[in-house]
């Protein structure tokens, strides 16, 4: 994977981003849970791509993102003349383009379940997002607890328990690492940051996700980002 840091003029960066192949435009790794999902998926499944990173929460963040998409958000996948600007849409596109890599579970029932829980992750858990924002480099144990957030944590736990017991065989949610695990990886980092206590089987699942090579690479880069900026963002 090649990484491009955005140059102030952006001339060379923009030219490189439109070269043949896949370019994934992401936000700050310590903070951008949406960016983490397709990045982890592409890295885990060995899909080559060029990374363009836009630092979030800066005066020029919006103008930089606008060069790639009018949505105003990252991640964005550039595939030649195709632009895809939503994490779930990006992952579905990748699953279509690389069917031999089996990003979704191969079993029909498992695949239907995986798509359902990814869609739920994509559209729900607003309290968890609000009171426990992703901050990989920080240690915020015990913070962010509200009744609504506890309900979200309970629902995530319920999803994980059902997937692991029905399909996971005590490994990842559907046995082998899949898009479902990539989609819930940012939740794992939140639980790590905020010290969320889980039953032993779910705690062990979080440890396996945290140790997965693709997830570990993202976490390491997020920690280096935060250290480089003078601390946790």
């Amino acid at each position: 994977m090649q990484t491009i840091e955005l140059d102030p003029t952006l001339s060379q960066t923009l030219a490189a981003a439109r070269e043949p192949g896949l370019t994934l435009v992401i936000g700050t790794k310590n903070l951008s849970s949406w960016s983490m999902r397709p990045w982890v998926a592409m890295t885990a499944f060995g899909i080559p791509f060029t990374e363009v990173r836009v630092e979030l929460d800066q005066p020029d963040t919006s103008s930089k993102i606008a060069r790639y998409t009018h949505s105003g958000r990252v991640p964005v996948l550039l595939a030649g003349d195709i632009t895809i600007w939503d994490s779930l849409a990006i992952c579905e596109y990748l699953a279509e383009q690389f069917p031999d890599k089996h990003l979704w579970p191969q079993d029909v029932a498992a695949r239907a379940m995986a798509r359902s829980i990814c869609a739920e992750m994509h559209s729900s858990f607003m309290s968890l997002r609000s009171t426990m924002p992703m901050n990989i480099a920080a240690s915020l144990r015990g913070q962010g607890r509200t009744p609504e957030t506890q309900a979200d944590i309970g629902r995530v736990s319920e999803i994980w328990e059902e997937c692991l017991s029905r399909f996971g065989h005590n490994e990842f949610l559907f046995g082998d690492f899949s898009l479902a695990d990539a989609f819930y990886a940012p939740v794992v980092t939140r639980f790590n940051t905020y010290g969320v206590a889980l039953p032993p089987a779910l705690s062990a699942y979080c440890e396996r996700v945290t140790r997965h090579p693709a997830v570990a690479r993202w976490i390491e880069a997020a920690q280096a980002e935060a250290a480089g900026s003078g601390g946790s963002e």
Side-chain angles (χ1 to χ4, degrees):
M1 179 192 68
Q2 177 185 358
T3 299
I4 294 176
E5 294 290 351
L6 283 175
D7 183 88
T9 64
L10 288 174
S11 56
Q12 294 180 343
T13 297
L14 291 173
R18 287 300 180 184
E19 289 180 357
L22 298 175
T23 296
L24 185 66
V25 184
I26 63 171
T28 309
K29 286 183 176 175
N30 190 42
L31 305 175
S32 183
S33 59
W34 296 106
S35 297
M36 183 180 183
R37 295 180 175 102
W39 190 99
V40 164
M42 296 176 80
T43 303
F45 286 96
I47 299 172
F49 67 100
T50 297
E51 172 190 311
V52 174
R53 192 179 313 148
V54 178
E55 189 173 358
L56 301 181
D57 300 330
Q58 299 299 311
D60 59 351
T61 296
S62 295
S63 63
K64 287 182 175 180
I65 293 175
R67 297 177 183 269
Y68 299 99
T69 175
H70 296 304
S71 72
R73 297 179 180 180
V74 289
V76 182
L77 183 70
L78 307 176
D81 293 331
I82 300 173
T83 300
I84 310 160
W85 60 89
D86 174 89
S87 59
L88 186 55
I90 290 170
C91 289
E92 287 284 12
Y93 174 83
L94 295 170
E96 290 178 352
Q97 296 301 306
F98 300 94
D100 57 315
K101 293 186 179 293
H102 305 300
L103 277 70
W104 291 116
Q106 296 184 64
D107 177 76
V108 173
R111 188 164 62 252
M113 181 80 166
R115 280 195 161 106
S116 295
I117 68 168
C118 286
E120 184 171 355
M121 180 72 258
H122 195 260
S123 62
S124 304
F125 306 111
M126 299 307 175
S127 293
L128 179 62
R129 300 181 201 279
S130 175
T131 67
M132 294 183 177
M134 191 166 101
N135 191 334
I136 291 173
S139 179
L140 304 169
R141 297 183 66 85
Q143 297 186 29
R145 301 298 198 275
T146 67
E148 294 79 12
T149 300
Q150 286 297 147
D152 282 351
I153 293 170
R155 175 56 185 153
V156 169
S157 299
E158 182 180 52
I159 289 170
W160 288 356
E161 287 172 348
E162 183 175 2
C163 292
L164 289 169
S165 62
R166 288 184 59 189
F167 305 106
H169 312 298
N170 298 316
E171 288 297 325
F172 295 105
L173 294 177
F174 295 91
D176 295 329
F177 192 87
S178 73
L179 287 177
D181 301 289
F183 256 75
Y184 280 84
V187 177
V188 170
T189 73
R190 282 179 164 95
F191 287 180
N192 292 340
T193 295
Y194 294 90
V196 174
L198 297 168
L202 302 189
S203 180
Y205 168 71
C206 286
E207 290 177 7
R208 289 193 293 275
V209 171
T210 302
R211 292 196 308 266
H212 187 281
V215 177
R217 281 180 60 186
W218 179 279
I219 291 173
E220 182 181 5
Q223 291 170 338
E225 264 183 3
S229 64
S232 298
E233 298 180 73

